[in-house]
């Protein structure tokens, strides 16, 4: 709530944005969070059904591929520049989509969905630290306070005494000659 208020009132370190744009952005982020929660839950269900990380990742990107393909056809682009900037496009795709989704899927496989989603709340800390190197952004004490609250909440949520919910199920025991003795 604090970070939403900070963003809407223009106290985030950027110039004061328009209120409609801030509200639209906050609603979009809330929608994105809901989708991430559902995505994590569905991915965990597929893991429980025996799907491998590779299979889940291969099937989760159909809509992304189609959507991005259609979007790229509707946006005026200088296609000749694409070849010159191919390395940047590949890096953008790898860092912005492939690597995060791969790492998220490994997290979903080995941790409880609640813990995975709680840990994604560490992103503001990393974003704040990276923004310190951006001359367009000035550090904001309000944003720092909001990030500190989120970070403390994450730590409290993932520690066993803080209510570690839905812990990942134990792998079923397999009878081997050594364990059967």
């Amino acid at each position: 709530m604090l970070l939403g208020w900070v963003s809407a009132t223009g106290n985030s370190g950027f110039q004061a944005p328009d209120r409609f744009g801030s509200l639209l952005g906050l609603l979009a982020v809330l929608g994105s969070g809901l989708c991430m929660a559902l995505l994590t839950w569905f991915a965990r269900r597929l893991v429980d059904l025996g799907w491998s990380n590779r299979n889940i990742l291969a099937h989760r990107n159909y809509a992304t591929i189609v959507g991005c393909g259609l979007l790229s056809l509707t946006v005026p682009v200088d296609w000749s520049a694409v070849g010159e900037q191919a390395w940047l496009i590949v890096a953008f795709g790898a860092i912005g989509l492939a690597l995060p989704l791969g790492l998220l899927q490994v997290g979903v496989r080995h941790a409880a969905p609640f813990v995975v989603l709680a840990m994604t709340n560490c992103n503001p800390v990393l974003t704040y630290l990276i923004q310190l190197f951006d001359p367009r952004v000035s550090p904001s004490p309000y944003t720092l306070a909001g990030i500190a609250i989120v970070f403390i909440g994450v730590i409290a949520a993932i520690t066993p005494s803080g209510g570690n919910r839905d812990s990942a199920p134990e792998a079923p025991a397999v009878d081997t000659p050594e364990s059967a003795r």
Side-chain angles (χ1 to χ4, degrees):
M1 297 296 289
L2 175 64
L3 291 175
W5 173 81
V6 166
S7 178
T9 59
N11 291 316
S12 66
F14 283 107
Q15 308 88 338
D18 66 286
R19 300 233 185 254
F20 176 75
S22 291
L23 179 62
L24 181 62
L26 292 173
L27 290 174
V29 169
L30 287 174
S32 173
L34 175 63
C35 290
M36 284 297 298
L38 290 171
L39 178 71
T40 302
W41 184 79
F42 288 133
R44 184 63 201 204
R45 297 272 302 150
L46 292 172
V47 165
D48 292 344
L49 291 171
W51 284 50
S52 72
N53 287 347
R54 290 176 59 170
N55 285 338
I56 293 170
L57 289 171
H59 291 287
R60 99 190 296 172
N61 290 313
Y62 295 140
T64 303
I65 293 167
V66 170
C68 291
L70 292 173
L71 182 64
S72 70
L73 294 175
T74 63
V75 176
V77 176
D78 178 11
W79 289 100
S80 63
V82 171
E84 298 167 7
Q85 299 160 354
W87 69 271
L88 183 59
I89 294 169
V90 169
F92 182 78
I95 293 171
L97 183 66
L99 188 60
L101 286 179
L103 293 173
L104 181 66
Q105 187 57 47
V106 170
V108 167
R109 175 170 292 282
H110 297 288
F114 177 80
V115 173
V116 170
L117 290 172
M119 291 298 295
T120 61
N121 287 313
C122 290
N123 292 342
V125 175
L126 301 173
T127 302
Y128 188 82
L129 292 173
I130 290 170
Q131 284 182 351
L132 292 176
F133 298 101
D134 187 345
R136 300 171 298 160
V137 181
S138 60
S140 163
Y142 297 111
T143 302
L144 187 58
I147 289 170
I149 291 168
V150 168
F151 190 69
I152 291 167
V154 168
I155 299 303
I158 64 172
T159 56
S161 62
N164 185 357
R165 297 183 263 219
D166 303 323
S167 59
E170 293 291 323
V174 177
D175 238 359
T176 62
E178 284 187 29
S179 65
R181 293 182 194 163

